[in-house]
Amino acid sequence: EVQLVESGGGLVQTGGSLRLSCSASGLSFEDYAVGWFRQAPGKEREGVSFMGIVNDSTVYADSVKGRFTISKDNAKSTAYLQMNSLKTGDTAVYYCAAVRLNRVWALLSPGTMRYWGKGTQVTVSS
């Protein structure tokens, strides 16, 4: 059984930082591209950042460029999302997802992803 488990969410003040982790099991993590999505109350789920398999290609939503960094440790079967300079608009439930995809050239839609975690809440207070 494939499982993705997010952790690292919490409450932080504007300008603060958090690092989310996504621990994977039941799949060959090195064969999968990973992505982070978020969903705020009343809004659709949106792609935040993605990392492909080949050359660690990465993509970021414009709203997080320069503030968020995605990374992946295949040896630990874990992906990370380092979030700096957090804003109240970053408040959402953050989801980790995976799909077998070599390169990522653009933000992926939720329907593209094969496996999902259950999410972790990130709340940024002013």
Side-chain angles (χ1 to χ4, degrees):
E1 179 188 7
V2 174
Q3 283 192 322
L4 301 178
V5 180
E6 303 93 338
S7 62
L11 174 63
V12 65
Q13 289 188 329
T14 300
S17 297
L18 285 173
R19 188 176 81 155
L20 304 184
S21 298
C22 172
S23 179
S25 60
L27 75 170
S28 298
F29 199 56
E30 62 273 16
D31 294 334
Y32 283 78
V34 295
W36 289 94
F37 292 79
R38 68 185 181 186
Q39 188 166 18
K43 295 188 177 181
E44 293 187 353
R45 191 169 298 189
E46 62 173 357
V48 174
S49 182
F50 301 87
M51 174 174 276
I53 299 171
V54 179
N55 296 327
D56 292 336
S57 56
T58 58
V59 173
Y60 296 92
D62 288 342
S63 59
V64 306
K65 279 181 184 175
R67 301 188 298 121
F68 289 13
T69 303
I70 190 172
S71 61
K72 188 169 176 268
D73 187 335
N74 290 326
K76 295 183 178 180
S77 294
T78 301
Y80 304 95
L81 186 68
Q82 178 67 43
M83 306 187 297
N84 299 328
S85 302
L86 283 162
K87 306 175 181 180
T88 55
D90 295 319
T91 295
V93 177
Y94 283 71
Y95 298 89
C96 172
V99 63
R100 295 197 68 147
L101 195 64
N102 286 341
R103 288 185 172 89
V104 180
W105 299 113
L107 295 176
L108 301 177
S109 66
T112 303
M113 310 308 288
R114 177 67 177 88
Y115 299 109
W116 287 89
K118 294 183 178 180
T120 184
Q121 176 70 46
V122 171
T123 303
V124 184
S125 64
S126 58

